[in-house]
Amino acid sequence: MKLYNTLTRKLDDVAPLDGRTVRIYSCGPTVYDHVHIGNLSAYIFADTLRRALKVAGNLETQHAMNYTDVDDKTIRRSHERFPDDDPAAALVKLTDECISIFNEDMVRIGNDASALTFVRATDPKTIWGMQDLITKLHAGGFAYIADDGVYFSIEAYKKAGKTYGQLLELSSANTSEARIQNDEYDKESVHDFALWKTQKDGEPSWDFTLDGHDLKGRPGWHIECSVMSRQILGQPFDIHTGGVDLIFPHHENEIAQSTALEDNPVMATIFAHNEHVLVDGKKMAKSAKNFYTLQDVIAKGFDPLAFRVKMLQSHYRSQVNFTWESLEAAQNLLQNLRAWADLKHQKAAHNAAASAGYKEAIQKVFDAVQDDLDTPSAFVQLAKLVADGETSGVDPDKIQPLLNILDRLFGLSLAERPDIAHEQKDLLAEREAARGSKDWTRSDELRGTLGKQGIGVRDTDGGPVWFRQ
RNA sequence: GGCGCCUUGGCGGAGUGGUUACGCAGAGGUCUGCAAAACCUUUUACACCGGUUCAAUUCCGGUAGGCGCCUCCA
């Protein structure tokens, strides 16, 4: 499988470092609120990448994702929501709630959460690991203690012969005087970033002593991913995913933290980044208030999987402009896919010869997803299968295995769709009888009854074929 | 200011130096008891200006517009 690597700026082959299992780490959500559908698109990307490696690439995978459950936003929001609780308890209440909503969203959009190992930044093991790494970085001369916390020294990192700026060319213009002066933190150099922040009033904290200093406080953002990825996957691992906005500084800083003390300059072989979902041509962002949540999508009457289809119909490295109209098109396509899958229940649509192209189609789908996760091309093949099914029917023996594969690859839940109810079958049979005796009034009446139950009927040479509307 | 990306038909969205992507939607028709589906036809697609070429939407240069990162952000 080929995947675009931000580190090398080209398509690289995914070849597991240990020769057996592709280890993937995906930056997860900051759990202070509902995530928006732009956030979810990043997880659809990561989920589809893992599925493609497993199903099309026939590789073992191990996939980890974090919950950032302590930062400025989670702390502030937990105060607002639970003002009477002490800071630590309020933080747990808020983040527990947000994590549970997030997990529901993940399932609704078809992501296989069971394939993921989730870790919280505040997990005691993570906290301990972060403190341990900070202690070692400090001992190695890569971290220094300031008034408000512990910082990573990029100068020391560079002096050790390491490259800061592996993912992004950093120009001197980035170090503007204005930014240095506006910076409220007490760091030595603009790019230096906090590994640990000492406690401010009303903030939750963890005990930490470093070099005789009492640094009771909380971790910085970047350090958690360095530690969690190493604890779960080891290091270096194979693929690190995230949105393009995380390229700098987050992933750059992760690399610095993770490689400062190592001989190997690489944290992960491949960094893969997904582009953003836009609304009205602008980046969807909480701060711009131009975002939608999955709850908004559902409230508008859409199936969450229609959003998945919408995302899979475009390439992960292209920006997608989200509009309700385009979501409707995706929902229609989803409905067509479902109608195709439902043909397996219907004798009138069975045709043993229909499977002639299945093998080739699935091969084309596999080829597409293995070519830098080209899901749009894969969906062209799906559309062809659907069109063939409508004209030529489906092979009752071969379609189920095909649906199973497609579900494992795309997560659209096409394989386990149930048959219609016996009562509805009886109505269909009754309508056929009425048609046989040319009782068109009765026939149309029965079609109307089925229509009210969400079942449409089309008459074919082989008999009536129903479809869910 | 620095770095990078994008601009395709009514909407979305691939792709290619010369031949219909595809999805969704619209119009007309064939078929049908009526429908549906399918099929056929249809609405002069590739931002603009130059250049290279027998030939450019596809390569090169420029112009315009848009977007992203450089600061928390998927």
Side-chain angles (χ1 to χ4, degrees):
Chain A
M1 167 149 178
K2 298 222 184 278
L3 193 62
Y4 184 81
N5 187 354
T6 309
L7 274 174
T8 59
R9 293 177 181 75
K10 62 183 177 65
L11 294 180
D12 284 341
D13 247 319
V14 180
L17 285 163
D18 70 1
R20 198 179 67 254
T21 304
V22 182
R23 288 166 292 159
I24 310 165
Y25 182 85
S26 297
C27 280
T30 300
V31 283
Y32 69 105
D33 201 344
H34 287 70
V35 296
H36 58 63
I37 56 177
N39 300 122
L40 291 174
S41 78
Y43 309 128
I44 290 174
F45 158 61
D47 181 74
T48 307
L49 173 62
R50 189 198 59 252
R51 288 170 181 271
L53 288 164
K54 279 168 93 160
V55 180
N58 203 23
L59 291 159
E60 297 284 315
T61 57
Q62 187 186 5
H63 194 171
M65 184 180 284
N66 68 292
Y67 298 119
T68 298
D69 61 350
V70 56
D71 80 322
D72 289 343
K73 289 190 290 269
T74 46
I75 291 170
R76 195 187 328 122
R77 184 63 61 89
S78 63
H79 261 304
E80 293 165 9
R81 284 286 307 283
F82 307 104
D84 299 332
D85 286 294
D86 77 70
L91 185 68
V92 171
K93 271 191 187 173
L94 176 78
T95 55
D96 276 357
E97 185 183 303
C98 292
I99 284 172
S100 124
I101 293 168
F102 174 76
N103 290 346
E104 283 173 25
D105 283 356
M106 286 285 273
V107 172
R108 282 175 169 164
I109 57 170
N111 285 346
D112 183 3
S114 71
L116 284 161
T117 305
F118 285 104
V119 196
R120 295 171 77 134
T122 60
D123 184 296
K125 194 181 166 193
T126 313
I127 296 282
W128 177 86
M130 290 190 279
Q131 295 180 339
D132 182 57
L133 180 57
I134 293 167
T135 302
K136 285 174 177 158
L137 286 169
H138 183 258
F142 294 105
Y144 57 90
I145 301 169
D147 287 346
D148 60 354
V150 183
Y151 287 87
F152 185 90
S153 168
I154 288 167
E155 200 187 330
Y157 184 73
K158 286 178 174 168
K159 274 187 180 158
K162 312 272 183 181
T163 305
Y164 187 80
Q166 294 187 32
L167 292 166
L168 187 79
E169 299 274 348
L170 288 174
S171 69
S172 55
N174 285 351
T175 46
S176 74
E177 285 299 313
R179 283 179 48 214
I180 294 175
Q181 282 160 9
N182 287 343
D183 199 324
E184 58 185 298
Y185 295 117
D186 175 29
K187 47 187 177 181
E188 292 174 357
S189 166
V190 244
H191 285 314
D192 288 357
F193 52 91
L195 295 165
W196 187 265
K197 297 179 175 183
T198 49
Q199 184 184 24
K200 292 183 202 154
D201 281 346
E203 289 190 351
S205 66
W206 288 262
D207 291 333
F208 183 36
T209 308
L210 178 63
D211 198 24
H213 295 75
D214 176 11
L215 297 175
K216 189 177 166 67
R218 62 181 170 94
W221 176 36
H222 313 296
I223 192 78
E224 62 177 83
C225 290
S226 284
V227 167
M228 289 187 276
S229 63
R230 185 197 297 263
Q231 284 183 343
I232 301 166
L233 304 173
Q235 193 193 303
F237 53 93
D238 295 291
I239 304 174
H240 194 316
T241 79
V244 286
D245 54 311
L246 297 184
I247 293 172
F248 190 89
H250 186 51
H251 288 171
E252 197 67 53
N253 291 348
E254 283 184 34
I255 292 173
Q257 293 162 344
S258 294
T259 59
L261 300 164
E262 306 290 326
D263 293 333
N264 192 330
V266 178
M267 175 194 191
T269 312
I270 295 176
F271 276 75
H273 296 103
N274 61 281
E275 256 299 348
H276 287 302
V277 176
L278 309 181
V279 177
D280 299 326
K282 305 273 187 199
K283 174 180 165 179
M284 186 180 298
K286 290 266 168 85
S287 51
K289 297 206 164 67
N290 64 342
F291 62 89
Y292 297 112
T293 64
L294 195 62
Q295 285 66 35
D296 295 327
V297 168
I298 294 166
K300 287 248 186 189
F302 287 100
D303 191 309
L305 288 179
F307 178 67
R308 186 179 187 85
V309 169
K310 164 87 183 139
M311 288 300 110
L312 293 177
Q313 271 190 297
S314 52
H315 191 91
Y316 77 94
R317 285 197 289 125
S318 304
Q319 293 176 337
V320 185
N321 194 26
F322 179 86
T323 62
W324 293 109
E325 194 182 4
S326 67
L327 187 61
E328 201 168 320
Q331 172 122 324
N332 288 341
L333 176 58
L334 176 62
Q335 211 163 58
N336 292 342
L337 282 163
R338 286 172 168 166
W340 170 64
D342 284 341
L343 295 180
K344 72 179 180 187
H345 294 301
Q346 309 188 53
K347 282 208 173 64
H350 286 178
N351 171 13
S355 56
Y358 288 2
K359 205 170 176 180
E360 192 191 342
I362 205 70
Q363 189 56 51
K364 282 185 177 166
V365 167
F366 281 6
D367 289 347
V369 296
Q370 290 191 99
D371 177 17
D372 197 26
L373 211 60
D374 185 2
T375 53
S377 295
F379 264 65
V380 170
Q381 297 306 318
L382 292 191
K384 283 181 180 163
L385 282 171
V386 170
D388 285 351
E390 277 169 350
T391 48
S392 312
V394 299
D395 183 336
D397 297 325
K398 302 279 175 59
I399 189 165
Q400 190 60 47
L402 179 62
L403 293 173
N404 290 342
I405 291 171
L406 292 177
D407 269 6
R408 288 212 298 139
L409 188 54
F410 294 123
L412 293 174
S413 298
L414 300 173
E416 304 304 331
R417 296 180 59 75
D419 204 347
I420 52 172
H422 285 299
E423 296 73 26
Q424 294 170 326
K425 286 185 179 175
D426 290 345
L427 288 172
L428 274 176
E430 200 180 323
R431 175 169 174 277
E432 271 308 276
R435 290 184 73 230
S437 54
K438 299 200 191 298
D439 184 352
W440 309 125
T441 311
R442 179 63 182 152
S443 161
D444 289 350
E445 189 181 302
L446 287 161
R447 184 161 61 193
T449 306
L450 283 161
K452 278 178 194 155
Q453 297 175 21
I455 305 291
V457 186
R458 61 189 169 93
D459 296 311
T460 72
D461 291 344
V465 171
W466 56 261
F467 55 95
R468 293 184 171 93
Q469 292 167 323

